[in-house]
Amino acid sequence: QVQLVESGGGSVQAGGSLTLSCSASSSLYNTLGWFRQAPGKEREGVASITADGITAYADSVKDRFTISQAIAKATLYLQMSSLKSDDTAMYYCAASRRLWGSWNRWNRLDPHEYHYWGQGTQVTVSS
C-alpha cells in the first residue's frame, strides 16, 4: 500500500508559478504521475515520470510544467509556470505499480493505469 500526500497548491495570478509536492509513504511503485480535475470535467493526465526518469506531458502543459522526483525522499514535484486560467483544477498525485519501458509502453497519462491516489491539492489561477 502507498499513501500519497500532496501540498503546494494555492491561488496565483495568470502568468505566475507554483510548485506542487507529493510525499509517498513507501516506494512500492514504479511510475508516478500528476493528474488534474476541473469542475464538471473528467480527470486528465498532466505529467508522468518513470523510475528511470523518463517523462511524459500532456500537450496542454508542455514547455510550461516540469515533473521531477527525489527518489531518496520518495517525493514527486510538479513545477508549473506561465499558469493560465485553464490550469485551475484539483491536482492529484498518483502512483502505479506498472513498469514502463520500450518493451511495455502503456499510456502513462491514463488515470485508470494508476493504483494509488492522493487527496488532491487545489490550484486556482485568476486572470
Side-chain angles (χ1 to χ4, degrees), residues 1-4 28-33 35 43 93-99 106 110-118:
Q1 192 75 7
V2 180
Q3 293 182 328
L4 303 168
L28 297 177
Y29 53 83
N30 290 296
T31 304
L32 293 170
F35 295 79
R43 191 168 297 189
C93 169
S96 176
R97 295 190 295 268
R98 294 195 69 180
L99 281 169
W106 47 277
D110 182 351
H112 297 97
E113 299 285 5
Y114 288 76
H115 305 93
Y116 308 107
W117 291 86

Side-chain angles (χ1 to χ4, degrees), residues 10 12 36-39 41 44 65 83-91 122-127:
V12 63
R36 66 186 182 187
Q37 188 167 18
K41 294 188 177 181
E44 63 174 355
F65 290 11
L83 284 162
K84 308 174 182 178
S85 56
D86 287 348
D87 295 318
T88 295
M90 185 71 78
Y91 282 72
Q122 178 68 37
V123 172
T124 302
V125 183
S126 58
S127 56

Side-chain angles (χ1 to χ4, degrees), residues 21-24 29 32 68-77:
S21 300
C22 172
S23 295
Y29 53 83
L32 293 170
S68 61
Q69 61 185 339
I71 295 176
K73 296 181 180 179
T75 303
L76 180 70
Y77 303 99

Side-chain angles (χ1 to χ4, degrees), residues 50-96:
T50 68
D52 295 333
I54 301 172
T55 58
Y57 294 94
D59 289 343
S60 59
V61 306
K62 274 181 184 176
D63 301 324
R64 298 190 299 122
F65 290 11
T66 302
I67 189 172
S68 61
Q69 61 185 339
I71 295 176
K73 296 181 180 179
T75 303
L76 180 70
Y77 303 99
L78 184 68
Q79 295 174 281
M80 307 183 292
S81 61
S82 302
L83 284 162
K84 308 174 182 178
S85 56
D86 287 348
D87 295 318
T88 295
M90 185 71 78
Y91 282 72
Y92 298 90
C93 169
S96 176

